[in-house]
Amino acid sequence: MQFVFRVFLVLLLTGGLTASAAAHKPIMTGAEQTSLYIPYLKGKKVGMVVNPTAVIGERLLVDSLLKLGVKVTRIFGPEHGFRGNASNGAHVADEVDAATGIPVVSLYGVRKMPPKQDMDAIDVMIYDIQDVGCRFYTNINTLRDIMEACVEAGKELVILDRPNPNDYVDGPILDMKLKSGIGQFPIPITHGMTVGEFARMINGEGWLKNKRKCKLKIIPVKNYKHGMDYTLPVGPSPNLNTQQSVLLYPSLCLFEGTIVSQGRGTYMPFTVLGAPALKGRYEFSFTPQSIPGKAESPLHMGQACYGLDLRAFDTAPLRKAGRINLGWMIELYKAYPEKERFFDQSYSKQMGSIDKLAGTTAFRQQIIAGKTEAEIRRSWEPGLGQYKKMRIRYLLYP
């Protein structure tokens, strides 16, 4: 045994071990593995559902594919637009991309699904959008709509998979009576899946019309396992502009259903929390302003908001535990002087009511009643446990 240990130590120190034994191989997204899908696209008219997160290195995927001889005939843009310069919730118009001359069809304006004439203009569809693993992040709604359109048109959907930066399962299961634009599926707040896996779940659970199934070709992420840390190379939307904001998003987006600002209208959105009425209770403050392309009319615009600065908050323990932070909601509700206004929808117009965001009416009632985090979490069972068992059937990664 001592000899074996010495041999192992020598190999480790001299680099004789394989890369997988000595250090984990670098993650490669589906898009980066061009040899797995470029030959399949040759000679086909290709449609692409993409935004600025669809990259290979520092180059946009569209530009890379065009350079490699792929015939891209349509680009379909989700919320925030193909170039990512539209504000949260803003309708986006059709256009012609100035850089490539390719028609860009908006899926976040007057329509949510590609028109028939645009589906007829393609042979195959590519989907490559970085998700952040949350039910209320609308990209998974777009994914479902694209799958519907592909089924209707008889087209195959090629998904270039990417890691999930919030790769854990937590939160109440959506009560489908509260189904809305920010909650379309009976899943928890963080679903713990990649886009490729989620597409398999949409097919497998019969979430398309008439339980039809979309023909899928998934290019999986290489060297990836669930639970790995992953730093996004590109901010996924205008108000998720840092890795910290992405990691705090599952917890802080719930505040969109309150009178508390999450920093929209600043250059540090989703890393701070505050409201004017909390003056005197907290020292830290920020003042939301109109920022074109990010937040034209943010909550509490021009008013100093007092509250929590989470820019340096260590998210690692939360991710390791696989938990959304409920403590901030409990704390700020207790601190807010006019509690009847805290969840007043007339002051919270950006995303939707707290009930739709949480996916249940119980969460708001529990906060008001002063329930502890442990008590709130217990109420999420058995739904959360049942979801975890169902999720296993669709996983592509260990």
Side-chain angles (χ1 to χ4, degrees):
M1 288 296 293
Q2 289 181 344
F3 173 76
V4 172
F5 176 76
R6 286 197 298 270
V7 170
F8 177 85
L9 185 61
V10 169
L11 286 172
L12 181 61
L13 293 175
T14 61
L17 285 177
T18 64
S20 60
H24 196 277
K25 295 179 182 178
I27 289 173
M28 292 185 66
T29 65
E32 291 174 313
Q33 302 172 74
T34 53
S35 63
L36 299 182
Y37 62 93
I38 292 295
Y40 180 75
L41 300 178
K42 291 292 186 180
K44 294 183 174 70
K45 293 178 291 185
V46 177
M48 300 183 68
V49 185
V50 288
N51 69 2
T53 66
V55 293
I56 299 177
E58 297 184 356
R59 184 190 292 267
L60 286 176
L61 178 64
V62 170
D63 298 332
S64 293
L65 295 195
L66 290 172
K67 189 174 182 179
L68 291 169
V70 175
K71 186 178 181 180
V72 180
T73 58
R74 290 291 188 280
I75 297 171
F76 299 91
E79 183 179 7
H80 307 298
F82 163 53
R83 296 289 179 184
N85 52 6
S87 298
N88 175 69
H91 282 201
V92 182
D94 294 349
E95 60 181 348
V96 174
D97 182 49
T100 63
I102 299 172
V104 179
V105 181
S106 172
L107 302 180
Y108 206 83
V110 297
R111 70 178 80 86
K112 303 297 182 185
M113 293 177 61
K116 182 180 183 303
Q117 64 268 25
D118 292 301
M119 292 301 294
D120 289 343
I122 68 172
D123 298 318
V124 63
M125 184 77 84
I126 288 178
Y127 184 100
D128 184 16
I129 295 178
Q130 176 67 61
D131 193 50
V132 297
C134 296
R135 183 182 65 220
F136 35 61
Y137 200 67
T138 61
N139 287 343
I140 55 174
N141 301 348
T142 299
L143 172 65
R144 187 271 322 280
D145 294 342
I146 288 297
M147 291 174 68
E148 290 276 16
C150 287
V151 170
E152 194 67 33
K155 313 292 183 179
E156 185 174 24
L157 179 62
V158 178
I159 295 178
L160 306 181
D161 215 4
R162 291 181 180 270
N164 178 354
N166 291 306
D167 191 20
Y168 56 91
V169 177
D170 199 27
I173 304 298
L174 173 69
D175 179 347
M176 292 302 281
K177 293 178 182 177
L178 294 169
K179 181 179 178 181
S180 70
I182 53 174
Q184 299 266 312
F185 307 99
I187 60 174
I189 288 175
T190 52
H191 52 68
M193 307 181 84
T194 67
V195 166
E197 291 171 328
F198 197 82
R200 284 162 52 87
M201 181 180 282
I202 290 174
N203 266 348
E205 294 303 307
W207 290 341
L208 298 181
K209 291 178 183 176
N210 301 319
K211 299 186 182 298
R212 297 181 297 180
K213 297 186 187 303
C214 176
K215 185 179 180 182
L216 296 174
K217 182 180 182 66
I218 300 171
I219 308 300
V221 184
K222 189 176 181 179
N223 305 322
Y224 175 68
K225 294 182 179 180
H226 280 290
M228 282 184 171
D229 289 341
Y230 180 67
T231 300
L232 274 59
V234 179
S237 58
N239 285 291
L240 292 181
N241 57 351
T242 64
Q243 181 73 1
Q244 184 75 344
S245 65
V246 169
L247 299 178
L248 290 173
Y249 180 74
S251 303
L252 269 57
C253 191
L254 287 169
F255 283 91
E256 299 264 34
T258 74
I259 199 170
V260 175
S261 167
Q262 318 82 45
R264 289 188 187 274
T266 74
Y267 290 95
M268 49 189 179
F270 289 101
T271 61
V272 295
L273 294 168
L278 292 172
K279 183 178 181 179
R281 290 169 168 79
Y282 295 92
E283 292 184 3
F284 171 72
S285 69
F286 59 92
T287 303
Q289 302 291 345
S290 178
I291 303 177
K294 291 175 68 70
E296 278 79 7
S297 301
L299 182 66
H300 304 312
M301 183 167 64
Q303 302 178 65
C305 295
Y306 296 83
L308 303 175
D309 181 359
L310 303 174
R311 286 174 291 179
F313 178 81
D314 184 5
T315 61
L318 282 179
R319 300 200 311 277
K320 186 175 181 180
R323 289 193 167 192
I324 296 163
N325 187 308
L326 301 182
W328 296 320
M329 182 71 73
I330 293 170
E331 175 186 342
L332 291 180
Y333 179 77
K334 287 180 179 179
Y336 202 80
E338 300 175 74
K339 291 181 171 43
E340 68 280 1
R341 297 180 62 194
F342 192 80
F343 293 118
D344 188 340
Q345 187 57 29
S346 65
Y347 296 95
S348 176
K349 301 175 182 177
Q350 296 170 347
M351 280 281 286
S353 71
I354 186 63
D355 295 347
K356 290 180 179 178
L357 284 161
T360 172
T361 58
F363 181 72
R364 170 176 48 85
Q365 296 165 355
Q366 290 164 335
I367 297 295
I368 292 172
K371 298 293 185 182
T372 65
E373 180 167 347
E375 289 173 321
I376 294 172
R377 288 187 171 281
R378 281 197 293 272
S379 72
W380 297 347
E381 297 293 351
L384 199 54
Q386 292 169 351
Y387 169 81
K388 289 177 180 178
K389 291 179 181 178
M390 182 262 283
R391 165 183 170 269
I392 292 173
R393 298 198 292 270
Y394 304 109
L395 299 184
L396 294 168
Y397 312 96

